[in-house]
């Protein structure tokens, strides 16, 4: 793809050179690629976070450019046929959709984050889809128009989390001691609950032990923590407050801007 699709993209980007810190990427140092990588992003997008986590786990330097999804520029629409983030530019060749980006990165750089066994790899991909479905349910939760709908969605989220519980082993990650792309998918999922839990008690974690432990392990993973800007919690609170939903009515103005 020619650079005309995103004129001056690399020069105009806010440079955010990112690499996995020592000890983050299991299995040794990542094989570095000579390609220039730019992650086209939105500050709150959980799908962007997946790609950023995988890039960090592989020790791949990349640049980041944020777009305003409420006012999408023409260059972005040419790169992203679905008009969504993330988009990964590989030497100005665009790859869109987070799962595809993560698979591409795992195909082309070390360490591998998918299992070597085909059956286990398929199982991981299935749980990645489960994580995407959970994100849709989280959206339904924070968009619920009234309290009965809010609590109904909260109960559905709890039921989904309860489904994950027996799939987890001794941890700390989904596949035990090895960090995988499933973990990269669920790190952004669990990040929402840091804000939700501060707003009210919704019973998300009732009767669960392995899922909260997994959540804590991911929150403490440097690649996960650094996949968002430092002001992410504030941005998410402002986003929720502005929606005028049942959840936002539980928030105080002070909490929305805390």
């Amino acid at each position: 793809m020619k650079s005309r699709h995103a004129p001056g993209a690399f020069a105009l980007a806010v440079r955010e050179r990112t690499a996995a810190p020592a000890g983050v990427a299991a299995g040794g140092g990542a094989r570095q690629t000579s390609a220039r990588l730019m992650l086209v992003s939105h500050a709150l997008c959980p799908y962007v976070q997946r790609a950023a986590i995988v890039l960090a786990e592989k020790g791949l330097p990349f640049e980041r450019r944020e777009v305003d999804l409420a006012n999408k520029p023409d260059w972005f629409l040419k790169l992203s046929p679905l008009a969504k983030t993330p988009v990964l530019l590989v030497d100005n060749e665009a790859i869109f959709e987070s799962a595809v980006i993560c698979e591409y990165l795992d195909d082309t750089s070390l360490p591998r984050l998918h299992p070597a066994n085909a059956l286990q790899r398929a199982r991981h991909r299935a749980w990645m889809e489960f994580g995407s479905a959970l994100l849709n349910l989280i959206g339904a939760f924070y968009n619920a128009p009234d309290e009965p709908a809010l609590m109904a969605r909260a109960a559905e989220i709890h039921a989904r989390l309860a489904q994950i519980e027996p799939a987890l082993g001794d941890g700390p990650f989904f596949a035990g001691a090895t960090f995988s792309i499933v973990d990269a998918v669920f790190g952004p999922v669990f990040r929402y609950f840091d804000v939700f839990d501060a707003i009210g008690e919704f019973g998300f974690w009732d009767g669960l032990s392995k899922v909260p432990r997994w959540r804590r392990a991911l929150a403490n993973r440097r690649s996960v923590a650094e996949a968002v800007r430092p002001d992410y919690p504030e941005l998410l609170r402002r986003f929720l407050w502005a929606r005028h939903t049942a959840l936002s009515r539980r928030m105080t103005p002070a909490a929305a801007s805390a």
Side-chain angles (χ1 to χ4, degrees):
M1 179 178 295
K2 301 295 185 181
S3 60
R4 67 177 180 274
H5 289 306
F10 287 107
L12 293 172
V14 175
R15 297 184 65 83
E16 190 173 302
R17 304 296 294 184
T18 307
V24 166
R31 182 173 69 236
Q32 296 296 323
T33 176
S34 60
R36 300 179 71 183
L37 302 175
M38 175 185 286
L39 187 63
V40 182
S41 307
H42 181 271
L44 291 178
C45 179
Y47 297 96
V48 167
Q49 295 173 46
R50 295 179 181 184
I53 292 167
V54 171
L55 283 160
E57 289 289 330
K58 289 176 174 291
L60 295 173
F62 66 100
E63 302 177 36
R64 203 159 179 165
R65 185 181 187 184
E66 290 193 359
V67 295
D68 180 2
L69 294 179
N71 185 25
K72 301 178 180 73
D74 288 341
W75 66 262
F76 171 69
L77 294 174
K78 291 175 182 177
L79 293 174
S80 179
L82 298 176
K84 297 190 299 185
T85 54
V87 175
L88 182 68
L89 287 172
V90 183
D91 285 338
N92 284 336
E93 184 73 27
I95 305 172
F96 59 95
E97 286 297 296
S98 64
V100 178
I101 291 170
C102 292
E103 295 282 353
Y104 166 78
L105 292 171
D106 211 44
D107 285 343
T108 57
S109 59
L110 297 174
R112 294 299 299 270
L113 300 180
H114 266 324
N117 178 274
L119 181 59
Q120 290 302 312
R121 195 160 59 246
R123 178 175 176 265
H124 277 224
R125 286 172 174 147
W127 282 107
M128 289 166 61
E129 286 298 312
F130 189 95
S132 295
L134 185 52
L135 281 174
N136 291 336
L137 188 51
I138 286 171
F141 170 76
Y142 65 65
N143 283 315
D146 52 44
E147 277 292 317
L150 182 72
M151 296 312 296
R153 300 295 85 75
E156 291 172 9
I157 290 173
H158 174 263
R160 292 294 189 187
L161 294 172
Q163 286 181 281
I164 305 172
E165 183 89 355
L168 299 174
D170 295 332
F173 304 118
F174 179 80
T178 303
F179 190 94
S180 69
I181 299 181
V182 179
D183 298 296
V185 167
F186 276 86
V189 171
F190 291 140
R191 200 189 310 274
Y192 278 100
F193 296 100
D194 297 340
V195 171
F196 294 162
D197 289 348
I199 295 173
E201 173 54 53
F202 299 103
F204 294 131
W205 316 106
D206 292 353
L208 304 178
S209 59
K210 292 181 179 180
V211 174
R213 182 188 64 194
W214 185 29
R215 176 192 178 190
R216 290 190 295 271
L218 293 180
N220 290 328
R221 187 78 168 183
R222 187 169 173 184
S223 63
V224 175
E226 295 184 353
V228 294
R229 292 166 27 177
D231 61 347
Y232 171 89
E234 178 183 355
L235 294 174
L236 180 56
R237 286 191 292 265
R238 290 179 181 176
F239 169 80
L240 297 173
W241 172 259
R243 302 196 74 74
H244 305 294
T245 61
L247 186 66
S248 67
R249 287 190 287 274
R250 284 179 173 238
M251 302 170 69
T252 65
S257 60

